[in-house]
Amino acid sequence: MKDRRRQGTVRLNYTKLLALIRTVDSLIIVLSLELAIRLVNQTLDTWYVLNDGHRYCALAGVLLFQFFADYYEVYYAWRGASQDNESVRLGWSWFCAMAAIMALLACFKSGVELSLFVTAAWFCVSFLALILVHELGRGWLAFLRRRGLNSRRVVIAGANDLGARLAGAFAAMPWLGYCFAGYYDDRGFQQGRRLACPERLYGGDFNTLVQRARDGEIDEIFIAMPMRSEQRVAELMNLLSDTTASVYYVPDVFVFNLVRSRLDMVQGIPCITVHGSPFKHQPVDGFLKRAEDVVLSFAILALIAVPMVLIATAVKLDSPGPVLFKQKRYGMSGEPIEVWKFRTMTVQENGATVTQATRNDARITRLGGFLRRYSLDELPQFINVLQGRMSIVGPRPHAVAHNEYYRKQINGYMLRHTIKPGITGLAQINGCRGETDTLDKMERRVVYDLEYISHWQVWLDLKIIFLTIFRVAHDPNAY
């Protein structure tokens, strides 16, 4: 039978450990407020400085942090998540909690005095302490695993590309405590069949795997086999049910074009979201995205109001026609929206055929060339953002005629519309602007758009906005 010492006590007492971690995090938040007030008010010699109002703030901080920590899955599990990833999730949880506290204090006259300096000190001290404690916890677990405690002897059933990818993940994260013991597959090397693993890591066929699992030599088994092998997977799982090993099935969903995939439960039935919006099942993310759009759009429109009036006047004087060009495009979920731009051409194409602008296009007005060069024609779209039609950052909307063409040419093209279109995006800061005279240019845009959707975060939006300011003005593809 397997060595119980190697399994350790952490796994057997995981729920108790989790409760301890939550308690420590809550104490950090309360004590950090105490320390912040002491540091700012220079009352280090006083035994206790929290008044009733501060206690309410501390309690709100604990409750809100625990809520957002659950949302960002801080306590889901330490195995499988990198240190940087956990630090980011901790940071967002505490930031959202502090933002909610500030909003509550601003909306309700509670009489609680919490100065800007105390707030900043509370945020910084708590954040640093939370990171430090969680890093110490990781270090303690790493120490136990180096001594052979709290480790797992794991194997992979399926010597294929998916299995190799999983083994690579184990190797890249040694703090998991997974001791990889090899691959098992019915297709042996002696049969002359090529397996996606070196022969030294081949442990044998499935009968050997089952026997070793029965003997207690294996803790966890990851079945990484293609979906077409349903019968083989079912037979193997049936045999492994006679063992005490933990068995995990790794579905080969990477054969699909995954966009913001996640696991959902419908009446206890697990369902994997292959294509989906990052905001459909994450209302907090949707709220943050909309709040970001509203706040930044108001601020930007306040700054550009006078320049927009001057541009509108110049457009009217430069050539006959309306100031604004309004074109039908696809918005979120493929619903038609009306996008506004300053008119830069002598024509207003908005039908079944829309000809893209080319370099030295005769249809572009004298002023229009300047506006397009520096993307000044896009400024009215901040009004579209406030209307809820668009977002500041997202996939650029294309004319309906172009959408209908490219959706037939590029696989996954319409997945761009799982979120609101944007004024700028990841594709634009990577040089994807101007005419798409070849299919590969549009394919490159789609790749960036889907990457953005898959990895959306508020900080990514802020980064794209910052880079747009500097890169768009020097983009040779803008005309």
Side-chain angles (χ1 to χ4, degrees):
M1 296 298 292
K2 62 178 157 184
D3 183 359
R4 303 300 297 180
R5 177 178 176 273
R6 178 167 54 80
Q7 181 178 340
T9 59
V10 174
R11 181 180 184 182
L12 301 177
N13 296 279
Y14 179 72
T15 55
K16 297 177 182 178
L17 176 63
L18 198 59
L20 176 62
I21 296 171
R22 286 181 179 271
T23 302
V24 171
D25 286 348
S26 299
L27 288 174
I28 286 174
I29 291 172
V30 175
L31 296 178
S32 294
L33 179 57
E34 171 90 12
L35 179 58
I37 296 175
R38 287 173 179 271
L39 292 174
V40 173
N41 298 331
Q42 298 182 354
T43 54
L44 299 179
D45 57 339
T46 305
W47 175 251
Y48 189 71
V49 299
L50 292 183
N51 57 34
D52 289 341
H54 295 148
R55 294 191 194 101
Y56 289 134
C57 285
L59 177 61
V62 169
L63 296 177
L64 288 168
F65 174 77
Q66 293 293 340
F67 170 78
F68 286 109
D70 279 334
Y71 173 76
Y72 285 109
E73 299 182 343
V74 170
Y75 302 116
Y76 179 69
W78 279 4
R79 289 184 188 267
S82 66
Q83 295 178 359
D84 292 342
N85 180 271
E86 184 181 14
S87 297
V88 169
R89 286 184 281 118
L90 273 170
W92 274 114
S93 300
W94 183 227
F95 174 80
C96 292
M98 286 295 295
I101 292 174
M102 294 300 98
L104 290 173
L105 292 178
C107 294
F108 302 99
K109 295 181 179 180
S110 58
V112 179
E113 295 183 1
L114 205 62
S115 69
L116 179 62
F117 293 106
V118 170
T119 303
W122 186 23
F123 176 81
C124 294
V125 172
S126 292
F127 175 69
L128 294 176
L130 288 168
I131 295 295
L132 177 62
V133 168
H134 280 249
E135 290 302 308
L136 289 175
R138 280 181 172 272
W140 174 65
L141 289 176
F143 171 77
L144 292 180
R145 289 162 184 163
R146 282 195 297 269
R147 295 174 61 89
L149 300 171
N150 191 233
S151 61
R152 309 283 192 275
R153 185 177 175 85
V154 302
V155 300
I156 296 175
N160 49 39
D161 292 336
L162 179 61
R165 183 171 182 172
L166 184 60
F170 294 154
M173 297 184 289
W175 57 85
L176 292 174
Y178 284 155
C179 301
F180 181 55
Y183 300 86
Y184 290 82
D185 201 302
D186 277 342
R187 303 168 299 161
F189 280 90
Q190 70 277 7
Q191 299 173 354
R193 304 185 69 173
R194 183 176 180 272
L195 303 183
C197 73
E199 190 167 359
R200 60 183 176 80
L201 292 178
Y202 177 68
D205 58 17
F206 290 155
N207 290 330
T208 304
L209 169 62
V210 172
Q211 186 57 50
R212 291 182 178 176
R214 285 173 178 168
D215 293 341
E217 299 177 13
I218 298 172
D219 292 313
E220 298 184 2
I221 301 168
F222 290 81
I223 300 178
M225 297 169 64
M227 296 180 180
R228 62 178 179 273
S229 303
E230 179 183 357
Q231 184 175 353
R232 292 173 62 208
V233 171
E235 291 173 354
L236 179 58
M237 286 184 174
N238 183 54
L239 293 172
L240 291 173
S241 66
D242 189 35
T243 73
T244 58
S246 298
V247 179
Y248 301 88
Y249 177 63
V250 185
D252 191 9
V253 295
F254 298 102
V255 298
F256 306 110
N257 186 7
L258 300 180
V259 177
R260 209 70 181 193
S261 61
R262 55 172 287 143
L263 179 65
D264 292 317
M265 301 295 290
V266 179
Q267 291 291 324
I269 303 173
C271 304
I272 297 176
T273 303
V274 179
H275 305 148
S277 169
F279 311 120
K280 185 175 181 180
H281 300 290
Q282 301 287 357
V284 175
D285 284 351
F287 171 78
L288 291 175
K289 177 73 166 172
R290 182 57 183 159
E292 167 200 317
D293 285 338
V294 172
V295 171
L296 291 180
S297 292
F298 267 120
I300 293 172
L301 283 171
L303 293 174
I304 66 174
V306 173
M308 284 182 65
V309 171
L310 296 176
I311 292 173
T313 304
V315 170
K316 192 65 177 177
L317 296 175
D318 180 63
S319 60
V323 171
L324 294 179
F325 168 49
K326 302 178 181 180
Q327 188 178 61
K328 293 291 184 182
R329 301 190 178 186
Y330 284 160
M332 186 173 178
S333 300
E335 296 181 358
I337 62 172
E338 191 175 66
V339 175
W340 296 355
K341 300 175 67 173
F342 283 123
R343 183 176 55 82
T344 59
M345 289 186 172
T346 57
V347 298
Q348 298 187 68
E349 296 176 342
N350 197 17
T353 303
V354 177
T355 305
Q356 293 187 15
T358 59
R359 193 179 297 275
N360 301 320
D361 197 318
R363 299 172 300 165
I364 299 177
T365 65
R366 292 173 298 175
L367 178 63
F370 174 80
L371 297 180
R372 297 173 70 94
R373 176 68 181 82
Y374 296 101
S375 296
L376 297 176
D377 60 321
E378 311 282 356
L379 295 183
Q381 289 171 25
F382 285 103
I383 300 175
N384 292 148
V385 174
L386 288 180
Q387 292 171 332
R389 301 175 186 173
M390 296 179 63
S391 179
I392 295 179
V393 181
R396 284 292 299 156
H398 301 146
V400 172
H402 295 160
N403 274 323
E404 293 303 320
Y405 172 76
Y406 286 115
R407 71 187 302 175
K408 302 173 183 177
Q409 304 295 323
I410 301 174
N411 184 35
Y413 176 85
M414 291 302 292
L415 296 178
R416 303 169 68 253
H417 300 286
T418 55
I419 65 173
K420 291 179 182 178
I423 299 175
T424 185
L426 188 62
Q428 282 62 51
I429 66 170
N430 283 281
C432 297
R433 298 185 69 208
E435 182 185 8
T436 52
D437 50 345
T438 60
L439 190 62
D440 64 292
K441 288 184 179 181
M442 183 59 77
E443 288 176 339
R444 186 164 175 257
R445 292 191 185 192
V446 173
V447 169
Y448 280 119
D449 289 339
L450 298 186
E451 181 181 347
Y452 168 77
I453 296 172
S454 298
H455 300 93
W456 178 86
Q457 291 288 348
V458 172
W459 69 265
L460 179 58
D461 278 0
L462 298 179
K463 174 184 176 182
I464 291 173
I465 293 171
F466 177 78
L467 292 177
T468 297
I469 297 173
F470 295 96
R471 294 187 180 179
V472 168
H474 303 89
D475 192 341
N477 294 322
Y479 46 81

